[in-house]
Each structure stands twice: as C-alpha cells, then as structure tokens.
Amino acid sequence: MKDICNIAKQINLATDDLILYGENIAKIKYNNFDQVNRKGKLILVTSINPTKSGEGKTTSAIGIADKLNNLGHQTILALREPSLGPVLGLKGSATGGGECVLLPENEINLHFTGDFHAITSANNLVSAMIDNFLYWDNPLQIDINKIVWQRCLDLNDRALREVEINIKKNLVHKEKFQITAASEIMAILSLSKNLADLRQRLDQTIVAYNINNEPIYIKELKITGSLLALLKDAILPNLVQTKYETPALIHCGPFANISHGTNSIIATELGLKLSDYVVCEAGFGSDLGFEKFNDIVNFHQEFTPDCTVLVVTIKALKLNGDLPEEKLDTLDLASLAKGLTHLEHHINIIRNYHLNFLVCINQFATDLPVEIEFLTHWLEKNKIEYGINNTYYLGIKDQPDLANKIIKLANQPQHYTPIIDFNHTLINEKIDIICQKIYATNNIEYRPEALAKIKHYNTSEFKHFPVCMAKNHQTIWGNADRHDNKVIIRDIKLNSGAQYFIVYLSKIITLPGLNKNPNAFVIDVQDNTIINIK
C-alpha cells in the first residue's frame, strides 16, 4: 500500500486536510472544501436481484474506478462502510475480491475508524436517556407504550429482536433491537450535509409520544450536544485506497433493504469536488438501492447520476429464470432466456427516471461462451448499450471498452425525471407509485396498522417526506416466491431526523441472525495479523 498521504496528494489533499489513522487510513476535514465548486460527474452502480453470493456490484464499482484512473480520468470511489454483522455472519467481507479490493482490507471490514461504534453509542445513549427520564418520575410524561426509538447493535443477534426493559419495579416495556446499519442515527448521519445539518436533524428526531399522544423530540431530552460529541469524528469521511491505488472514500453504511443503502452524501459531495468522476454503489438491486438513491438521496436533485451501470451475471439471470441455486454453474439457456424478462424489468426501472445507463456483464469463470453470446445478442437486438467486465480477474489489464462507454454516456445529455412529486402526493400514493413503476404491480395489500398510521401521517407536517421501502432483496416484491407479485404493506414508521418514512413489507426484519456456519468460525490471528482459515 502507498502511504495514505501520497494517495491524498493524487486528489490535491494536503496533510492539513487529514486526520491520520496510521499509515494507511485517514479521515478528511471535508469542511475545508466548503467553497470549492463541483467538477465531477457521478457514476452509480446498481444491479438486478442477486444470487446469495451477490452480483459483484462492489467489485464492479472498484474495477470501474480503477480502470477509469488507469485510462487517465481522475476518479474517486465512494462506497459504504461494512457492518460487522454480515462480515462475521454470511458475507465475510465487504471490501471486494480478486483484483478489485479495498486496502487495508481487514481494518476496513472490522473496526475501521470506529464510525459504527460511535453511531451505536449515540443511538443507545438516546435509549438510555428515555429510560432515565422514566426512572426519575417521568417529567416529559412519556407514554411507556409509545416509545418508537430502538436500541441497536452492530452484530447479527436474533435473541435481541424482542426484549423486555426493566426500569424499576412495575415499570417495564417491550423493545426491539435493530442492527446499527438500520438505525436512524446511521440514516441521519449519512444524509447530513454538515455538522449544523446533523444537529438540526437530531433535534427534530421523534423518539416517543407523551400521554397526550404528542411527539417527544431528541431536543427535549437535552442530549443533542452529547450526541454531536460522540459523532463529531464519525461525520468525517474516511480515505483509503484500492489495490491499484485509486482513492476511495468509505463512509457510513446504511443497509439497502431496510434503509436507503448508499454511502454518505458528504463523501459523494466531496468526491465530486475533488475528481472528474465519482463511482458510487447503491445496495442490492435497482428495486431497492437505486430507487432509494433517486427518491431519497437525490430528493432535491443534487446528486442525479450522470451514468447508471446495471450489473448482471449469467448466474443471477438463470436464478431469476427459475434454475435452482445448486445448478447455476450448469448450461441452461431456457432459464437464461426466462431471466431476460427479469433483466428487462430492471432496465425499465432505470428508464422510469430517463437516465443514461448501460448493462455491465460481470463475467464469472464458470460462464460459457454460448451463454455470454446469448445475452449479448439479446442486448444488441434490443439496442441496449452494454460492456463486459473482467476486472475481478484482470484488474486494470481488463479491456477499456466498458470504461470508455461509461465515460461517453456520462458526458451525454439526459432528461432526469423523478417518478414522484413528493410535495403533492399523499404517503399511500407514493407507495402506490413505487409499487406500480418500480415493482410493476397493482397487487397491493395494506394491513390495518399501516393504514391507520398512514391516515394520521397524511395530515402531519411530515407528509411530504419520501418513503423508504423495507423488503427482502432477493425478489422484486420481497416474497419468497419469485412469481408472487403481491406487495403487503405491513407497517410504517416515521424517521423524522432522516426525513423519510420506512414502509415495512411482509416479513422483513431489522436485526439479522447468524447462519449455521457463520464466517466467525474461520477468522483467526497469527503473528498479529488477521487471517481467514478457510
């Protein structure tokens, strides 16, 4: 690895702009660049619905950024920080793979610069203060049955999904933990523009309701200053590098299935000021992270993508064409053909916003030439721009065709069109539009609890907020059956600090559990170095 100060010099950062965390990691004093005008263009990477092992959005984003830099285009990568839950559970890593990796890999995957710990601590301080007010005779008249704030933990621990908080004798309430990546503090931090915006968002965050059913805000807990003290370094974006020395801003980590799924807007904005191109990733498929990027992150149309990259794999196309998981490495053109309908659905999602895009075929070693030819023939027949990505294996030695096409598209005009007029639509209308234009279904069922809350919020000062759909990521509609297009709106929650409503579909959970053979089994330390013993 290069010394991080040398990586910083590539994007005109001085040592005084950095807070060093050793030789390979630094935080950036982003407010040093408040007066700098943007010069960069934004490339957003999304995908179709993935296999269990993913589509390779992260590796593709890293590979694209590396290749752009290799071709002489000053490029910064902007990605989310990993959550410990998936790293120690099923995922194992969130820093890429093959030739497309972030460095230092182990440090980024584990404690990194402590941002997740700061967010967890801030979140749980709010909970502790709510319970402390209740203990000391409840001067805010908190209704113990209407506490909406949840504790969080950055681990997969299903035992904490339902807990009982014993404050003192005859003062008990039920609570649900959620994973830190799904917490409102995470969402607030990643959507804040600066420390002043963070303060305002924290102040206006509703944590509970009083006995008169009036909202109680964080500002009434009188702890906003303490929360800012815990978060003052976490708000600074982190600078690391890829294997090929591309500068990478790794900051914040909201999940895309239960939150909005993109790195901080501070990191994205800073990248656009310091480089010609910024490559970002929106989590999971275009039905999740991409939609939320456009409807939440780009709510004020400040971060409209100049080029959208839709990552597809032969494996995922066959999976979405009904081929069983265990047979994805086998030749099956029938399932591949069925999977093209799924690909077309995701293409239409992007077209809804009238954005420049191309399909990125992320090639695996198991892909057969006849399968690649089958897919490219369909794309050419339908006049869909595409490129083939082999950076996982070849790194910057990959062919420049994909990168050159991305540059060409990013510099062409487009006519971005939001799918929702948020100021003139009710909450249920926003949900209906997403179901119709993103999920392509009118088969929507609202559960009574969701309907009651929507009716209440439609008359509130928050009714103009966007909605964040929380659903399973493996299918368009969040159902186990890939052909079941019914969308069940189970519940809705107001995140007044993050400034959006979370809409819970079907059986989505906000605190994952560990799988039978979690990655925690195979991590060890030898000679003071973290290793994977698989």
Side-chain angles (χ1 to χ4, degrees):
M1 283 179 283
K2 264 191 177 181
D3 186 288
I4 198 63
C5 292
N6 290 327
I7 296 294
K9 287 178 185 177
Q10 294 177 206
I11 48 176
N12 300 315
L13 292 175
T15 304
D16 288 346
D17 297 321
L18 307 176
I19 299 173
L20 298 177
Y21 283 65
E23 297 178 353
N24 307 125
I25 301 170
K27 279 189 169 290
I28 302 175
K29 302 172 187 176
Y30 69 93
N31 50 335
N32 286 6
F33 302 90
D34 285 348
Q35 304 307 314
V36 175
N37 295 323
R38 282 194 204 178
K39 65 172 182 175
K41 291 186 178 293
L42 181 61
I43 298 162
L44 183 65
V45 179
T46 184
S47 78
I48 64 172
N49 292 101
T51 65
K52 287 182 180 178
S53 57
E55 276 294 80
K57 284 193 309 301
T58 301
T59 53
S60 295
I62 295 170
I64 289 166
D66 281 338
K67 191 62 189 177
L68 291 177
N69 261 328
N70 175 250
L71 292 172
H73 305 285
Q74 190 176 57
T75 305
I76 290 175
L77 185 69
L79 299 176
R80 289 171 294 166
E81 299 180 51
S83 164
L84 278 179
V87 167
L88 297 174
L90 181 64
K91 193 167 188 177
S93 175
T95 48
E99 293 295 293
C100 303
V101 291
L102 296 168
L103 301 174
E105 200 168 2
N106 290 326
E107 285 77 1
I108 296 169
N109 273 317
L110 297 178
H111 300 292
F112 202 19
T113 55
D115 293 348
F116 268 72
H117 299 288
I119 292 165
T120 304
S121 298
N123 184 94
N124 293 341
L125 172 60
V126 176
S127 291
M129 290 302 298
I130 292 169
D131 291 343
N132 196 50
F133 273 95
L134 288 168
Y135 182 88
W136 293 106
D137 302 324
N138 197 8
L140 295 178
Q141 295 189 304
I142 299 167
D143 186 333
I144 198 168
N145 297 311
K146 293 183 179 178
I147 298 170
V148 295
W149 192 261
Q150 294 176 250
R151 285 173 165 86
C152 71
L153 181 74
D154 189 32
L155 286 172
N156 295 2
D157 191 348
R158 63 174 59 85
L160 295 177
R161 289 174 185 166
E162 299 281 349
V163 295
E164 186 173 86
I165 305 298
N166 292 282
I167 298 170
K168 60 182 178 181
K169 189 176 180 180
N170 298 324
L171 195 59
V172 177
H173 69 91
K174 302 285 186 181
E175 188 165 337
K176 298 177 181 179
F177 273 71
Q178 57 188 345
I179 196 163
T180 300
S183 68
E184 188 170 2
I185 293 285
M186 175 65 80
I188 289 170
L189 187 68
S190 57
L191 291 170
S192 294
K193 294 182 177 181
N194 48 46
L195 202 63
D197 188 27
L198 176 60
R199 179 189 294 274
Q200 184 177 3
R201 286 172 178 269
L202 289 171
D203 271 344
Q204 69 182 25
T205 300
I206 296 172
V207 297
Y209 292 84
N210 65 22
I211 57 175
N212 297 315
N213 204 33
E214 298 164 333
I216 296 172
Y217 297 87
I218 280 181
K219 63 184 176 184
E220 296 174 73
L221 302 181
K222 301 179 181 179
I223 57 168
T224 304
S226 291
L227 296 176
L228 289 171
L230 290 171
L231 298 170
K232 73 176 182 65
D233 291 332
I235 198 174
L236 304 176
N238 307 294
L239 177 67
V240 292
Q241 62 191 287
T242 71
K243 179 178 179 177
Y244 291 100
E245 301 174 357
T246 296
L249 302 177
I250 311 301
H251 194 216
C252 293
F255 283 169
N257 56 341
I258 43 184
S259 190
H260 63 274
T262 317
N263 59 276
S264 75
I265 65 169
I266 286 177
T268 301
E269 175 73 14
L270 181 63
L272 291 168
K273 290 179 177 181
L274 298 175
S275 67
D276 296 321
Y277 296 95
V278 173
V279 180
C280 284
E281 173 202 344
F284 293 124
S286 70
D287 56 305
L288 278 168
F290 170 82
E291 178 269 313
K292 294 175 181 181
F293 186 95
N294 285 283
D295 294 342
I296 297 174
V297 178
N298 195 34
F299 183 70
H300 297 292
Q301 299 183 36
E302 298 172 298
F303 298 99
T304 301
D306 294 286
C307 178
T308 300
V309 178
L310 179 65
V311 178
V312 305
T313 61
I314 295 294
K315 284 186 175 184
L317 287 171
K318 290 191 289 190
L319 178 70
N320 287 289
D322 297 331
L323 192 66
E325 192 91 32
E326 64 274 11
K327 294 183 179 180
L328 294 181
D329 289 339
T330 62
L331 175 63
D332 192 313
L333 293 182
S335 65
L336 183 56
K338 287 180 69 176
L340 294 176
T341 302
H342 181 80
L343 171 57
E344 189 172 24
H345 187 141
H346 284 276
I347 288 170
N348 288 334
I349 289 173
I350 299 170
R351 282 175 168 164
N352 277 327
Y353 295 90
H354 299 273
L355 290 166
N356 296 332
F357 77 96
L358 60 69
V359 170
C360 168
I361 303 171
N362 191 27
Q363 193 162 354
F364 278 50
T366 54
D367 296 344
L368 298 173
V370 66
E371 295 174 317
I372 297 294
E373 184 180 349
F374 189 91
L375 172 55
T376 57
H377 175 73
W378 182 87
L379 292 166
E380 290 167 1
K381 178 183 174 183
N382 288 279
K383 298 180 180 179
I384 297 165
E385 191 73 79
Y386 72 90
I388 296 177
N389 178 37
N390 276 299
T391 54
Y392 181 93
Y393 304 104
L394 300 176
I396 59 173
K397 294 179 182 178
D398 193 14
Q399 295 297 314
D401 177 65
L402 174 65
N404 285 334
K405 286 180 176 178
I406 290 171
I407 293 296
K408 182 179 178 181
L409 284 169
N411 286 280
Q412 287 182 355
Q414 59 183 4
H415 303 285
Y416 177 73
T417 307
I419 63 169
I420 300 171
D421 180 353
F422 289 99
N423 289 318
H424 299 97
T425 47
L426 298 175
I427 295 162
N428 52 295
E429 292 172 337
K430 295 168 188 173
I431 295 169
D432 289 347
I433 290 170
I434 289 174
C435 289
Q436 292 158 3
K437 293 199 172 184
I438 305 298
Y439 310 152
T441 184
N442 286 305
N443 191 4
I444 311 165
E445 177 187 327
Y446 287 86
R447 295 285 167 82
E449 185 176 4
L451 281 173
K453 290 182 180 179
I454 289 170
K455 182 179 179 180
H456 168 69
Y457 290 133
N458 272 337
T459 61
S460 74
E461 62 184 293
F462 310 107
K463 62 183 179 182
H464 67 283
F465 283 176
V467 296
C468 178
M469 308 292 272
K471 71 178 185 71
N472 185 289
H473 63 278
Q474 292 181 320
T475 65
I476 294 279
W477 307 283
N479 302 315
D481 181 352
R482 294 183 182 277
H483 304 288
D484 179 7
N485 74 340
K486 186 174 186 177
V487 176
I488 298 174
I489 309 301
R490 174 171 56 86
D491 199 3
I492 184 169
K493 179 179 180 288
L494 169 62
N495 277 8
S496 57
Q499 298 179 9
Y500 61 66
F501 293 95
I502 297 183
V503 179
Y504 297 97
L505 276 62
S506 193
K507 299 178 181 179
I508 187 71
I509 54 174
T510 58
L511 183 59
L514 291 169
N515 51 311
K516 189 174 182 180
N517 294 296
N519 198 55
F521 285 163
V522 296
I523 296 173
D524 204 350
V525 175
Q526 290 183 3
D527 301 323
N528 206 36
T529 300
I530 298 169
I531 62 168
N532 192 307
I533 58 176
K534 279 183 181 177

